[in-house]
Amino acid sequence: MSETNENKESAAPFRVVVGMDMEAAGEAALYEALRLARFGTEEHLHLVHVLSTPGAARTERALQELDARLEAAPAKFRDYLIALSERMPQTGARAVTLHVRAGVASTELHQVAIDVNADLIVVGTHNRQGLAKMLLGNTAQDLLQIAHCPVMVVRPKDFSVDQPTEAPDPACADCVAARKASGGEALWCEFHSRPRVRVHGVASSEVFSFGAHGAGIQTGGL
């Protein structure tokens, strides 16, 4: 019996292309890609470092300089990743391939994705503004326009300047009785309906498990 296309797809590794600029944005992208691999997915990571090329005419000197950069880049990229691996999460990825390209970052990342039949492109963002954004471009934004596969844009996690929503209080026994007696028309008891008293809210959360052996909804907190 021949193997179906669906079975072939399920057996294939999940191929992820990660843009690595040897800066904080690339490190954040790699961190999230490695976290994906920890969830049991058989990933093949393709780490891509793109050497930017000037838009000016390709003079002989410029081409010689580019050749020298391309020759030195693989070893530099490898050493960078070895040092970086010490502070990255352990990965379940079954293969990691390094790529060095020259050109426009978004174009080269997408081309690698095409070449390896990638399922996902992960790229960080510098969140540059104004003139810096105009001069340097925005790789993440460009990829969202041109990519023919899903793109995950990563920003470093930092909620230090944000305020979390206040946890809702559970409904008191009198509120529950009022709702039952009114058929749901009255939500609060006499006390919690008073002015100048912070009305408590009601919240629910559900956890859905995917998969044939564990599918279902579990009620409870996050």
Side-chain angles (χ1 to χ4, degrees):
M1 182 181 294
S2 62
E3 189 176 17
T4 66
N5 289 334
E6 183 177 353
N7 288 336
K8 289 180 181 178
E9 285 294 325
S10 62
F14 190 75
R15 302 177 182 90
V16 182
V17 169
V18 185
M20 297 293 301
D21 57 1
M22 299 199 207
E23 296 183 18
E27 292 182 16
L30 177 59
Y31 183 86
E32 291 303 323
L34 292 175
R35 289 215 311 158
L36 286 176
R38 294 176 64 186
F39 294 121
T41 303
E42 290 195 53
E43 276 192 344
H44 187 156
L45 297 180
H46 293 268
L47 310 184
V48 186
H49 178 61
V50 181
L51 299 175
S52 61
T53 55
R58 299 288 182 84
T59 64
E60 182 176 355
R61 180 177 179 180
L63 290 174
Q64 289 176 348
E65 291 177 352
L66 179 58
D67 285 343
R69 291 170 63 201
L70 282 170
E71 185 175 353
K76 182 179 179 181
F77 189 30
R78 190 183 310 111
D79 291 343
Y80 168 79
L81 290 171
I82 291 173
L84 184 61
S85 65
E86 296 180 359
R87 59 179 189 273
M88 285 288 165
Q90 293 296 314
T91 176
R94 71 180 189 182
V96 178
T97 303
L98 310 186
H99 304 261
V100 175
R101 297 286 183 98
V104 178
S106 56
T107 302
E108 296 303 323
L109 285 170
H110 188 227
Q111 188 60 54
V112 172
I114 296 169
D115 295 343
V116 303
N117 191 27
D119 300 285
L120 175 69
I121 300 173
V122 182
V123 63
T125 176
H126 295 279
N127 198 29
R128 295 185 176 104
Q129 301 294 329
L131 183 60
K133 182 177 179 179
M134 292 174 60
L135 294 176
L136 298 172
N138 188 323
T139 300
Q141 182 175 336
D142 291 345
L143 275 170
L144 291 173
Q145 297 294 324
I146 67 173
H148 295 159
C149 69
V151 176
M152 179 179 180
V153 180
V154 177
R155 296 185 65 181
K157 179 179 177 180
D158 182 9
F159 292 137
S160 61
V161 297
D162 302 301
Q163 294 295 324
T165 303
E166 292 186 11
D169 298 327
C172 70
D174 290 338
C175 286
V176 173
R179 292 172 194 177
K180 185 175 181 179
S182 66
E185 292 294 326
L187 296 178
W188 316 113
C189 66
E190 187 274 334
F191 176 79
H192 287 113
S193 297
R194 295 176 186 175
R196 299 181 183 177
V197 174
R198 183 176 68 85
V199 178
H200 56 260
V202 177
S204 66
S205 62
E206 297 174 338
V207 178
F208 187 88
S209 299
F210 289 94
H213 301 291
I217 295 178
Q218 304 172 2
T219 60
L222 297 176

